[in-house]
Amino acid sequence: MKTVVHKADSRGYANHGWLKSYHTFSFAGYYNPERMHFGVLRVLNDDTIAPGTGFGRHPHDNMEIVSIPLSGALEHSDSMGNHGVIRSGEIQVMSAGTGVTHSEMNHSKEEETKFLQIWMFPNKRNVEPRYDQQKIELENTTNDWIQILSPNPEDDGVWVHQNAWFSMGRFSKNKEIMYKMKEKTNGVYLMVLDGEIELNGIKLTQRDAIGITEAEQFHFNTLKDAQLLLMEIPLSL
């Protein structure tokens, strides 16, 4: 098993007033030639949007775009005619394909919204754009993974044009947790949303992340109660 560790304080940071954003990989004004992507995972932004503001209408194409609110709510509108609100405890996906424009605004006029913005390179280009959002059923599950994204429309969670599986989980202190790859050639990018874990002798705390390759499965231990996001993705573009 090989690993690469990205500590929370090593990320790029931008403060635009209305938006505060931590960039795991090179994005906008943050450029690090050693942090361009992890396999097909191109963007992992940890965003905080001020009340009553947000991302105005802008274009995307040929990218799988995933949003996971951590607190608050996002109001989404796009050129496909979709309009709605995605809240903490839900996941949103948009396959940009041949091209789409959209906006993402803080739905609240009083409270901040915090969310993860994730982009993946697709395995099919120029597909018909599509949009979906679903609830993440974490409330009644502890010490187990909940699948929130896959390549298959029939599986749990949303689906994408990529051989990727995302899972989230809440885990109690002093537990040994295992994950087995869906595809042996894939890698995993694991982010600690909250809490503390130890993996391969490495301690990881809030917003720390680790990339794992050349492993068919792996184990880690929780040092505190933890909430985790796991992204199993192809390593080859």
Side-chain angles (χ1 to χ4, degrees), residues 4 6 10-12 23-45 63 118-121 189 233 235 237:
V4 57
H6 294 155
S10 73
R11 299 175 296 173
H23 308 311
T24 294
F25 305 107
S26 294
F27 187 87
Y30 168 62
Y31 175 73
N32 181 342
E34 297 181 356
R35 297 273 284 270
M36 297 303 297
H37 61 93
F38 180 81
V40 303
L41 183 60
R42 174 61 188 89
V43 169
L44 176 52
N45 290 347
M63 196 67 70
I118 303 164
W119 298 4
M120 287 183 290
F121 296 111
Y189 197 81
I233 46 91
L235 297 173
L237 300 180

Short mmCIF file of all heavy atoms in Angstrom, two decimals, residues 4 6 10-12 23-45 63 118-121 189 233 235 237:
data_model
loop_
_atom_site.label_atom_id
_atom_site.label_comp_id
_atom_site.label_asym_id
_atom_site.label_seq_id
_atom_site.Cartn_x
_atom_site.Cartn_y
_atom_site.Cartn_z
N VAL A 4 -0.31 9.01 0.19
CA VAL A 4 0.12 10.41 0.14
C VAL A 4 -0.79 11.19 1.08
O VAL A 4 -2.02 11.03 1.04
CB VAL A 4 0.06 10.97 -1.30
CG1 VAL A 4 -1.33 10.84 -1.90
CG2 VAL A 4 0.53 12.42 -1.33
N HIS A 6 -2.26 14.69 2.68
CA HIS A 6 -2.51 16.11 2.47
C HIS A 6 -3.13 16.67 3.75
O HIS A 6 -4.34 16.50 3.99
CB HIS A 6 -3.45 16.33 1.29
CG HIS A 6 -2.87 15.93 -0.02
ND1 HIS A 6 -3.64 15.57 -1.12
CD2 HIS A 6 -1.57 15.85 -0.43
CE1 HIS A 6 -2.84 15.28 -2.14
NE2 HIS A 6 -1.59 15.43 -1.74
N SER A 10 -2.15 22.40 4.58
CA SER A 10 -1.31 22.45 3.38
C SER A 10 -2.11 22.84 2.14
O SER A 10 -1.55 23.00 1.05
CB SER A 10 -0.63 21.10 3.15
OG SER A 10 -1.55 20.13 2.67
N ARG A 11 -3.43 23.00 2.28
CA ARG A 11 -4.28 23.32 1.15
C ARG A 11 -4.14 24.78 0.74
O ARG A 11 -3.75 25.64 1.54
CB ARG A 11 -5.75 23.01 1.47
CG ARG A 11 -6.02 21.57 1.79
CD ARG A 11 -7.47 21.34 2.22
NE ARG A 11 -7.80 22.02 3.46
CZ ARG A 11 -9.01 22.10 3.99
NH1 ARG A 11 -10.03 21.55 3.35
NH2 ARG A 11 -9.22 22.72 5.13
N GLY A 12 -4.46 25.07 -0.52
CA GLY A 12 -4.56 26.46 -0.94
C GLY A 12 -5.76 27.12 -0.30
O GLY A 12 -6.72 26.45 0.10
N HIS A 23 -8.56 24.81 -1.15
CA HIS A 23 -8.38 24.01 -2.35
C HIS A 23 -7.40 22.88 -2.08
O HIS A 23 -6.22 23.12 -1.84
CB HIS A 23 -7.85 24.87 -3.49
CG HIS A 23 -8.63 26.13 -3.75
ND1 HIS A 23 -10.00 26.14 -3.88
CD2 HIS A 23 -8.23 27.41 -3.90
CE1 HIS A 23 -10.40 27.38 -4.12
NE2 HIS A 23 -9.35 28.17 -4.11
N THR A 24 -7.89 21.64 -2.14
CA THR A 24 -6.99 20.50 -2.00
C THR A 24 -6.07 20.39 -3.20
O THR A 24 -4.88 20.07 -3.07
CB THR A 24 -7.81 19.20 -1.85
OG1 THR A 24 -8.51 19.25 -0.61
CG2 THR A 24 -6.89 17.97 -1.84
N PHE A 25 -6.62 20.66 -4.39
CA PHE A 25 -5.85 20.60 -5.63
C PHE A 25 -5.82 21.98 -6.28
O PHE A 25 -6.65 22.83 -5.98
CB PHE A 25 -6.44 19.56 -6.58
CG PHE A 25 -6.57 18.19 -5.95
CD1 PHE A 25 -7.81 17.68 -5.60
CD2 PHE A 25 -5.44 17.43 -5.69
CE1 PHE A 25 -7.93 16.44 -5.01
CE2 PHE A 25 -5.55 16.18 -5.09
CZ PHE A 25 -6.80 15.68 -4.75
N SER A 26 -4.86 22.17 -7.20
CA SER A 26 -4.70 23.45 -7.87
C SER A 26 -6.04 23.91 -8.45
O SER A 26 -6.73 23.15 -9.14
CB SER A 26 -3.66 23.33 -8.98
OG SER A 26 -2.38 23.08 -8.45
N PHE A 27 -6.37 25.17 -8.18
CA PHE A 27 -7.67 25.70 -8.59
C PHE A 27 -7.60 27.21 -8.56
O PHE A 27 -7.10 27.80 -7.60
CB PHE A 27 -8.77 25.19 -7.64
CG PHE A 27 -10.16 25.54 -8.07
CD1 PHE A 27 -10.86 24.73 -8.94
CD2 PHE A 27 -10.79 26.70 -7.60
CE1 PHE A 27 -12.15 25.03 -9.33
CE2 PHE A 27 -12.08 27.01 -7.98
CZ PHE A 27 -12.77 26.18 -8.85
N ALA A 28 -8.12 27.83 -9.62
CA ALA A 28 -8.18 29.30 -9.70
C ALA A 28 -6.79 29.88 -9.43
O ALA A 28 -5.83 29.54 -10.09
CB ALA A 28 -9.24 29.84 -8.76
N GLY A 29 -6.66 30.73 -8.40
CA GLY A 29 -5.38 31.37 -8.12
C GLY A 29 -4.38 30.51 -7.39
O GLY A 29 -3.24 30.92 -7.18
N TYR A 30 -4.79 29.32 -6.96
CA TYR A 30 -3.88 28.40 -6.26
C TYR A 30 -3.29 27.42 -7.26
O TYR A 30 -4.04 26.66 -7.90
CB TYR A 30 -4.61 27.65 -5.15
CG TYR A 30 -3.83 26.50 -4.57
CD1 TYR A 30 -2.61 26.70 -3.94
CD2 TYR A 30 -4.32 25.19 -4.65
CE1 TYR A 30 -1.89 25.64 -3.40
CE2 TYR A 30 -3.62 24.13 -4.11
CZ TYR A 30 -2.41 24.35 -3.49
OH TYR A 30 -1.70 23.30 -2.98
N TYR A 31 -1.97 27.43 -7.38
CA TYR A 31 -1.31 26.50 -8.30
C TYR A 31 -0.17 25.81 -7.57
O TYR A 31 0.72 26.46 -7.01
CB TYR A 31 -0.76 27.22 -9.52
CG TYR A 31 0.03 26.31 -10.43
CD1 TYR A 31 -0.61 25.35 -11.21
CD2 TYR A 31 1.42 26.40 -10.49
CE1 TYR A 31 0.10 24.49 -12.03
CE2 TYR A 31 2.15 25.55 -11.31
CZ TYR A 31 1.48 24.60 -12.08
OH TYR A 31 2.19 23.75 -12.88
N ASN A 32 -0.21 24.50 -7.57
CA ASN A 32 0.85 23.67 -7.01
C ASN A 32 1.05 22.50 -7.97
O ASN A 32 0.16 21.65 -8.09
CB ASN A 32 0.46 23.17 -5.61
CG ASN A 32 1.55 22.32 -4.97
OD1 ASN A 32 2.46 21.82 -5.64
ND2 ASN A 32 1.46 22.16 -3.65
N PRO A 33 2.18 22.44 -8.68
CA PRO A 33 2.37 21.39 -9.68
C PRO A 33 2.34 19.98 -9.10
O PRO A 33 2.11 19.02 -9.83
CB PRO A 33 3.73 21.72 -10.29
CG PRO A 33 4.42 22.57 -9.27
CD PRO A 33 3.34 23.34 -8.59
N GLU A 34 2.53 19.85 -7.79
CA GLU A 34 2.47 18.54 -7.15
C GLU A 34 1.07 18.21 -6.64
O GLU A 34 0.85 17.13 -6.11
CB GLU A 34 3.47 18.49 -5.99
CG GLU A 34 4.92 18.62 -6.44
CD GLU A 34 5.90 18.53 -5.29
OE1 GLU A 34 5.45 18.44 -4.12
OE2 GLU A 34 7.11 18.55 -5.56
N ARG A 35 0.15 19.15 -6.80
CA ARG A 35 -1.22 18.96 -6.32
C ARG A 35 -2.20 19.33 -7.43
O ARG A 35 -3.05 20.22 -7.27
CB ARG A 35 -1.47 19.82 -5.07
CG ARG A 35 -0.60 19.47 -3.87
CD ARG A 35 -1.19 18.39 -3.02
NE ARG A 35 -2.28 18.86 -2.21
CZ ARG A 35 -2.15 19.36 -0.97
NH1 ARG A 35 -0.96 19.44 -0.40
NH2 ARG A 35 -3.21 19.75 -0.30
N MET A 36 -2.10 18.63 -8.57
CA MET A 36 -2.99 18.91 -9.70
C MET A 36 -4.26 18.07 -9.63
O MET A 36 -5.33 18.55 -9.98
CB MET A 36 -2.26 18.66 -11.02
CG MET A 36 -1.06 19.58 -11.25
SD MET A 36 -1.47 21.34 -11.20
CE MET A 36 -2.60 21.48 -12.57
N HIS A 37 -4.11 16.82 -9.23
CA HIS A 37 -5.26 15.92 -9.14
C HIS A 37 -4.80 14.64 -8.45
O HIS A 37 -3.61 14.41 -8.25
CB HIS A 37 -5.83 15.60 -10.53
CG HIS A 37 -4.85 14.93 -11.45
ND1 HIS A 37 -4.76 13.56 -11.56
CD2 HIS A 37 -3.91 15.44 -12.28
CE1 HIS A 37 -3.81 13.25 -12.43
NE2 HIS A 37 -3.27 14.38 -12.88
N PHE A 38 -5.76 13.80 -8.10
CA PHE A 38 -5.48 12.44 -7.61
C PHE A 38 -6.31 11.52 -8.47
O PHE A 38 -7.54 11.43 -8.31
CB PHE A 38 -5.85 12.31 -6.14
CG PHE A 38 -5.58 10.94 -5.57
CD1 PHE A 38 -4.31 10.57 -5.17
CD2 PHE A 38 -6.62 10.01 -5.43
CE1 PHE A 38 -4.07 9.31 -4.64
CE2 PHE A 38 -6.38 8.75 -4.92
CZ PHE A 38 -5.10 8.39 -4.52
N GLY A 39 -5.67 10.84 -9.41
CA GLY A 39 -6.42 10.07 -10.38
C GLY A 39 -7.39 10.97 -11.12
O GLY A 39 -7.03 12.06 -11.58
N VAL A 40 -8.66 10.53 -11.24
CA VAL A 40 -9.65 11.34 -11.95
C VAL A 40 -10.26 12.43 -11.06
O VAL A 40 -11.08 13.22 -11.52
CB VAL A 40 -10.79 10.46 -12.53
CG1 VAL A 40 -10.23 9.40 -13.46
CG2 VAL A 40 -11.61 9.82 -11.42
N LEU A 41 -9.85 12.47 -9.79
CA LEU A 41 -10.34 13.50 -8.87
C LEU A 41 -9.58 14.80 -9.13
O LEU A 41 -8.39 14.91 -8.84
CB LEU A 41 -10.15 13.04 -7.43
CG LEU A 41 -10.65 13.94 -6.31
CD1 LEU A 41 -12.15 14.17 -6.42
CD2 LEU A 41 -10.29 13.35 -4.95
N ARG A 42 -10.26 15.77 -9.72
CA ARG A 42 -9.59 17.00 -10.16
C ARG A 42 -9.75 18.15 -9.17
O ARG A 42 -8.84 18.95 -8.98
CB ARG A 42 -10.16 17.42 -11.52
CG ARG A 42 -9.66 18.77 -12.04
CD ARG A 42 -8.15 18.80 -12.22
NE ARG A 42 -7.67 20.13 -12.54
CZ ARG A 42 -7.32 21.04 -11.63
NH1 ARG A 42 -7.40 20.75 -10.32
NH2 ARG A 42 -6.87 22.22 -12.00
N VAL A 43 -10.91 18.28 -8.53
CA VAL A 43 -11.18 19.40 -7.63
C VAL A 43 -11.80 18.87 -6.35
O VAL A 43 -12.70 18.02 -6.39
CB VAL A 43 -12.12 20.44 -8.29
CG1 VAL A 43 -12.62 21.46 -7.27
CG2 VAL A 43 -11.43 21.14 -9.45
N LEU A 44 -11.31 19.37 -5.23
CA LEU A 44 -11.94 19.14 -3.93
C LEU A 44 -11.83 20.44 -3.15
O LEU A 44 -10.82 20.72 -2.52
CB LEU A 44 -11.27 17.98 -3.18
CG LEU A 44 -11.77 17.70 -1.76
CD1 LEU A 44 -13.27 17.55 -1.71
CD2 LEU A 44 -11.08 16.46 -1.19
N ASN A 45 -12.88 21.25 -3.25
CA ASN A 45 -12.91 22.55 -2.59
C ASN A 45 -13.82 22.50 -1.37
O ASN A 45 -14.91 21.94 -1.42
CB ASN A 45 -13.41 23.64 -3.54
CG ASN A 45 -12.41 23.97 -4.64
OD1 ASN A 45 -11.24 23.56 -4.57
ND2 ASN A 45 -12.85 24.69 -5.65
N MET A 63 -17.34 17.42 -17.30
CA MET A 63 -16.88 17.23 -15.93
C MET A 63 -18.05 16.67 -15.12
O MET A 63 -19.19 17.05 -15.34
CB MET A 63 -16.40 18.54 -15.33
CG MET A 63 -15.57 18.39 -14.08
SD MET A 63 -13.96 17.61 -14.33
CE MET A 63 -13.08 18.88 -15.24
N ILE A 118 -16.78 19.02 -5.59
CA ILE A 118 -15.89 17.96 -6.08
C ILE A 118 -16.08 17.81 -7.58
O ILE A 118 -17.22 17.72 -8.06
CB ILE A 118 -16.21 16.62 -5.38
CG1 ILE A 118 -16.08 16.77 -3.86
CG2 ILE A 118 -15.30 15.50 -5.88
CD1 ILE A 118 -16.72 15.65 -3.07
N TRP A 119 -14.98 17.80 -8.32
CA TRP A 119 -15.03 17.57 -9.76
C TRP A 119 -14.24 16.31 -10.10
O TRP A 119 -13.13 16.10 -9.57
CB TRP A 119 -14.42 18.71 -10.55
CG TRP A 119 -15.07 20.04 -10.42
CD1 TRP A 119 -16.13 20.38 -9.62
CD2 TRP A 119 -14.67 21.24 -11.11
NE1 TRP A 119 -16.42 21.71 -9.76
CE2 TRP A 119 -15.55 22.27 -10.67
CE3 TRP A 119 -13.69 21.54 -12.02
CZ2 TRP A 119 -15.44 23.57 -11.14
CZ3 TRP A 119 -13.59 22.84 -12.50
CH2 TRP A 119 -14.45 23.83 -12.07
N MET A 120 -14.79 15.50 -11.00
CA MET A 120 -14.08 14.35 -11.55
C MET A 120 -14.08 14.41 -13.07
O MET A 120 -15.08 14.80 -13.68
CB MET A 120 -14.75 13.04 -11.11
CG MET A 120 -14.56 12.66 -9.68
SD MET A 120 -15.32 11.05 -9.34
CE MET A 120 -17.06 11.49 -9.45
N PHE A 121 -12.96 14.00 -13.67
CA PHE A 121 -12.95 13.81 -15.11
C PHE A 121 -13.88 12.64 -15.45
O PHE A 121 -13.85 11.60 -14.78
CB PHE A 121 -11.54 13.48 -15.61
CG PHE A 121 -10.55 14.59 -15.41
CD1 PHE A 121 -9.51 14.46 -14.49
CD2 PHE A 121 -10.63 15.76 -16.15
CE1 PHE A 121 -8.58 15.46 -14.31
CE2 PHE A 121 -9.71 16.79 -15.97
CZ PHE A 121 -8.68 16.64 -15.05
N TYR A 189 -9.32 8.25 -2.05
CA TYR A 189 -8.98 9.50 -1.41
C TYR A 189 -9.94 9.67 -0.23
O TYR A 189 -11.16 9.75 -0.42
CB TYR A 189 -9.09 10.68 -2.38
CG TYR A 189 -8.37 11.90 -1.88
CD1 TYR A 189 -6.99 12.02 -2.05
CD2 TYR A 189 -9.05 12.93 -1.24
CE1 TYR A 189 -6.31 13.13 -1.59
CE2 TYR A 189 -8.37 14.05 -0.78
CZ TYR A 189 -7.00 14.14 -0.96
OH TYR A 189 -6.32 15.25 -0.49
N ILE A 233 -11.74 6.00 -6.71
CA ILE A 233 -11.75 6.54 -8.08
C ILE A 233 -10.66 5.87 -8.91
O ILE A 233 -9.66 5.38 -8.39
CB ILE A 233 -11.56 8.06 -8.06
CG1 ILE A 233 -10.41 8.49 -7.12
CG2 ILE A 233 -12.84 8.76 -7.64
CD1 ILE A 233 -9.08 8.58 -7.73
N LEU A 235 -7.38 5.65 -11.16
CA LEU A 235 -6.13 6.40 -11.06
C LEU A 235 -5.66 6.92 -12.41
O LEU A 235 -4.87 7.85 -12.48
CB LEU A 235 -5.06 5.55 -10.41
CG LEU A 235 -5.35 5.12 -8.97
CD1 LEU A 235 -4.31 4.14 -8.48
CD2 LEU A 235 -5.43 6.34 -8.05
N LEU A 237 -6.30 8.71 -16.05
CA LEU A 237 -7.21 9.65 -16.70
C LEU A 237 -7.68 9.10 -18.03
O LEU A 237 -7.01 8.32 -18.66
CB LEU A 237 -6.49 11.00 -16.92
CG LEU A 237 -5.98 11.71 -15.66
CD1 LEU A 237 -5.31 13.02 -16.02
CD2 LEU A 237 -7.13 11.96 -14.68
#
